[in-house]
Amino acid sequence: MSTIQIFDPALCCSTGVCGVDVDQQLVDFSAYVDWAKQNGAEIERFNLAQQPMSFAENAVVKSFLERSGAEALPLILVDGEVALAGRYPNRAELARWAGIVV
């Protein structure tokens, strides 16, 4: 099974699903991540506001940020390689990358 790493832009909390103005896209994506994890997916999320060293210490992410800037986040890596940038994946994409048969 593949390892999926999600490098989020600066969010108010670990999921971004908090506060008074909740982004429905983040609510949906958090549900997809929970579903994928329950089906055996190995997924890690990193928040730029709370875990900046995770961004700085990953050569792929650091290079991406130098080229595209933080406004191009989120960045999704699958087994250390860029799979998607600029938007969150849908449930089908997570399932495919994680090898979950739906």
Side-chain angles (χ1 to χ4, degrees), residues 1 6 8 12 31 60 83:
M1 186 164 290
I6 299 141
D8 289 300
C12 59
V60 172

Side-chain angles (χ1 to χ4, degrees), residues 52-75:
M53 290 309 295
S54 296
F55 289 70
E57 293 172 349
N58 183 308
V60 172
V61 177
K62 183 178 178 184
S63 176
F64 174 83
L65 288 174
E66 288 170 352
R67 263 191 334 272
S68 303
E71 56 278 353
L73 294 172
L75 176 66

Side-chain angles (χ1 to χ4, degrees), residues 6 13-14 17-18 25 29 34 36-37 49 51 56 61 71 87 100-101:
I6 299 141
C13 62
S14 62
V17 184
C18 54
Q25 178 185 14
F29 181 65
D34 289 343
K37 285 181 174 182
Q51 299 156 298
V61 177
E71 56 278 353
R87 70 170 177 85
I100 299 170
V101 179

Side-chain angles (χ1 to χ4, degrees), residues 2-84:
S2 298
T3 299
I4 301 168
Q5 294 176 302
I6 299 141
F7 291 86
D8 289 300
L11 302 172
C12 59
C13 62
S14 62
T15 62
V17 184
C18 54
V20 294
D21 190 23
V22 176
D23 182 344
Q24 186 61 44
Q25 178 185 14
L26 287 172
V27 172
D28 293 343
F29 181 65
S30 290
Y32 301 155
V33 168
D34 289 343
W35 170 83
K37 285 181 174 182
Q38 290 171 2
N39 285 278
E42 187 176 326
I43 300 175
E44 297 176 291
R45 287 184 79 176
F46 304 96
N47 182 333
L48 183 57
Q50 297 174 355
Q51 299 156 298
M53 290 309 295
S54 296
F55 289 70
E57 293 172 349
N58 183 308
V60 172
V61 177
K62 183 178 178 184
S63 176
F64 174 83
L65 288 174
E66 288 170 352
R67 263 191 334 272
S68 303
E71 56 278 353
L73 294 172
L75 176 66
I76 291 79
L77 304 183
V78 177
D79 292 333
E81 296 186 21
V82 174
L84 185 65

